[in-house]
Amino acid sequence: MSVPIRLKRLTAAALGIFALVLAGLFVAPYFISHEEARLAVVRAVQASTGVEPQIDGGVHLTFLPTPAVRIDDVELTDGNRPPFAAASIYASVRLLPLMVGRVEIATLIFREPRLLVDTATDGSITLG
């Protein structure tokens, strides 16, 4: 077998594998449980802040360009401190654990955060 034929076969095999991986990334969100993704984000937020978030919005999974979970309309409050709210939480997901069916959160980003701060006439600041 000559080198050009081997190169053509190797190229075709590499393109086939690439196409399968790309197709898998488009289909994968349908096989990952939204509830499992939501619970992973809730656990990560609770571990980071010490407060369990109240979620009023939906859960969205994306795999391209990177695996991520977005949860809309989130509020953090423990009853003692004023509520901290965000339009959404964007959580990037680790790829290797995801390939075996586990959702592990790498980073959390709060989009459009809101915290009510009042200032008194004497210049003191109160939250809530």
Side-chain angles (χ1 to χ4, degrees), residues 53-128:
Q54 266 89 64
I55 299 169
D56 293 329
V59 177
H60 309 279
L61 295 170
T62 58
F63 281 81
L64 294 174
T66 59
V69 178
R70 189 184 84 226
I71 298 179
D72 297 325
D73 201 12
V74 179
E75 185 174 294
L76 301 173
T77 184
D78 62 359
N80 299 329
R81 295 177 280 190
F84 171 82
S88 64
I89 294 177
Y90 179 84
S92 62
V93 178
R94 292 190 174 104
L95 183 60
L96 291 178
L98 191 62
M99 290 183 169
V100 295
R102 288 192 329 255
V103 178
E104 289 186 16
I105 305 302
T107 60
L108 292 170
I109 299 172
F110 292 89
R111 305 248 170 145
E112 298 178 32
R114 297 178 302 276
L115 179 64
L116 182 61
V117 178
D118 291 328
T119 56
T121 56
D122 65 354
S124 64
I125 296 175
T126 57
L127 299 176

Side-chain angles (χ1 to χ4, degrees), residues 40-56:
V41 173
V42 167
R43 284 192 300 266
V45 169
Q46 194 168 16
S48 299
T49 64
V51 179
E52 184 174 345
Q54 266 89 64
I55 299 169
D56 293 329

